[in-house]
């Protein structure tokens, strides 16, 4: 039972990272198809999944096309009830769904000002009040998730769930732009980028080079943390 997952450039496509982690972290069988976000072939590459028009998108083993990350998440959780995509505890599970939905609908200032890039750390990047507000909200939600943990572990609800997949690009932004967050939030971000799956995704992305780099923020940079 193998899924077909369509993704964009790994170094930059935050939504694609979410879709890939949904499958990779829960040991689902899938084939990856790369869509040319920067080569001008996106519409052509997604044609087999019409009417899907954005990445990520997937085709189920029985041929059903599903677009939008939240719909993909719920579909996978429904089809694989024993894989543990959502928390086992009912309160944590409801909250994880809430966090994922808010991720899809919110944080526009953070997403707009700090496009995900996994190549380096921007040093001295100046943030707006709106971005600071988004960061405060992220930290509030992460702390609320931690208060509901029924299991030990470093993830939002103890063990890894879909909520962690949805917030992985936020963690990457916090690292990649050296954004101001509290100690607990920074530790969670470090856990995210040190995870084997995330490191595999990033390594694949770095095989492609870009000239010019799409998101030059005009500030000094330092190496991405490797440990």
């Amino acid at each position: 039972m193998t899924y077909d997952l369509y993704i964009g450039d790994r170094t930059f496509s935050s939504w694609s990272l979410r879709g890939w982690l949904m499958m990779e972290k829960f040991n689902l069988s899938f084939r990856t198809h790369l869509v040319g976000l920067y080569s001008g072939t996106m519409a052509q590459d997604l044609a087999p999944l019409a009417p899907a028009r954005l990445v990520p998108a997937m085709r189920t083993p029985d041929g059903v096309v599903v677009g939008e990350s939240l719909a993909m998440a719920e579909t996978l959780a429904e089809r694989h009830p024993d894989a543990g995509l959502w928390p086992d505890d009912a309160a944590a599970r409801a909250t994880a769904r809430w966090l994922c939905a808010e991720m899809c609908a919110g944080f526009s200032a953070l997403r707009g000002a700090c496009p995900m890039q996994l190549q380096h750390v921007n040093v001295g990047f100046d943030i707006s009040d709106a971005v600071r507000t988004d960061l405060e909200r992220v930290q509030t939600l992460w702390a609320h998730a931690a208060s509901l943990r029924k299991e030990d572990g470093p993830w939002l609800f103890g063990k890894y769930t879909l909520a962690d997949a949805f917030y992985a690009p936020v963690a990457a932004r916090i690292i990649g732009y050296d954004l101001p967050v509290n100690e607990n939030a920074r530790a969670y971000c470090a856990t995210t980028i040190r995870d084997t799956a995330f490191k595999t995704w990033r390594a694949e992305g770095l095989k492609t080079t870009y000239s010019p780099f799409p998101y030059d923020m005009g500030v000094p940079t330092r190496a991405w943390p490797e440990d």
Side-chain angles (χ1 to χ4, degrees):
M1 197 161 75
T2 300
Y3 293 87
D4 286 290
L5 176 67
Y6 286 67
I7 63 170
D9 298 58
R10 290 177 175 86
T11 300
F12 309 112
S13 182
S14 57
W15 291 102
S16 296
L17 172 58
R18 293 182 178 96
W20 186 84
L21 287 171
M22 290 181 208
M23 298 190 179
E24 178 71 16
K25 288 294 292 183
F26 299 100
N27 299 313
L28 305 183
S29 176
F30 68 102
R31 292 179 290 261
T32 300
H33 305 268
L34 189 61
V35 172
L37 295 183
Y38 295 89
S39 64
T41 63
M42 183 172 179
Q44 176 185 336
D45 295 339
L46 280 176
L49 266 68
R53 62 188 180 90
L54 299 172
V55 289
M58 73 178 186
R59 184 189 296 111
T60 68
D62 47 341
V64 177
V65 172
V66 184
E68 298 295 335
S69 297
L70 198 53
M72 291 170 57
E74 290 287 12
T75 299
L76 293 173
E78 180 180 66
R79 292 171 64 98
H80 303 276
D82 297 326
L85 280 77
W86 292 120
D88 295 329
D89 177 73
R93 186 164 61 250
T95 304
R97 287 191 168 104
W98 166 17
L99 264 62
C100 290
E102 186 159 340
M103 179 66 259
C104 292
F107 309 110
S108 58
L110 174 61
R111 296 207 307 260
C114 306
M116 191 186 82
Q117 60 80 28
L118 306 180
Q119 180 167 295
H120 52 244
V121 175
N122 290 290
V123 179
F125 183 75
D126 190 29
I127 64 171
S128 66
D129 289 343
V131 171
R132 198 175 300 276
T133 297
D134 276 354
L135 290 171
E136 291 171 355
R137 179 60 178 169
V138 166
Q139 292 170 89
T140 296
L141 292 175
W142 288 359
H144 181 56
S147 74
L148 297 174
R149 286 178 188 163
K150 300 295 184 182
E151 302 179 53
D152 292 333
W155 302 105
L156 290 175
F157 295 93
K159 73 172 185 178
Y160 196 97
T161 71
L162 286 169
D164 299 294
F166 271 71
Y167 279 86
V170 173
R173 285 176 165 94
I174 290 170
I175 296 297
Y177 292 83
D178 196 21
L179 299 178
V181 293
N182 63 40
E183 183 179 340
N184 288 339
R186 190 159 295 279
Y188 174 71
C189 294
T191 294
T192 298
I193 68 166
R194 290 170 181 163
D195 184 64
T196 300
F198 185 97
K199 292 176 76 170
T200 297
W201 170 273
R202 180 173 178 268
E204 283 297 311
L206 293 180
K207 292 178 181 178
T208 301
T209 58
Y210 300 85
S211 182
F213 189 72
Y215 299 115
D216 183 351
M217 309 309 289
V219 297
T221 65
R222 66 170 181 260
W224 185 271
E226 297 295 342
D227 298 323

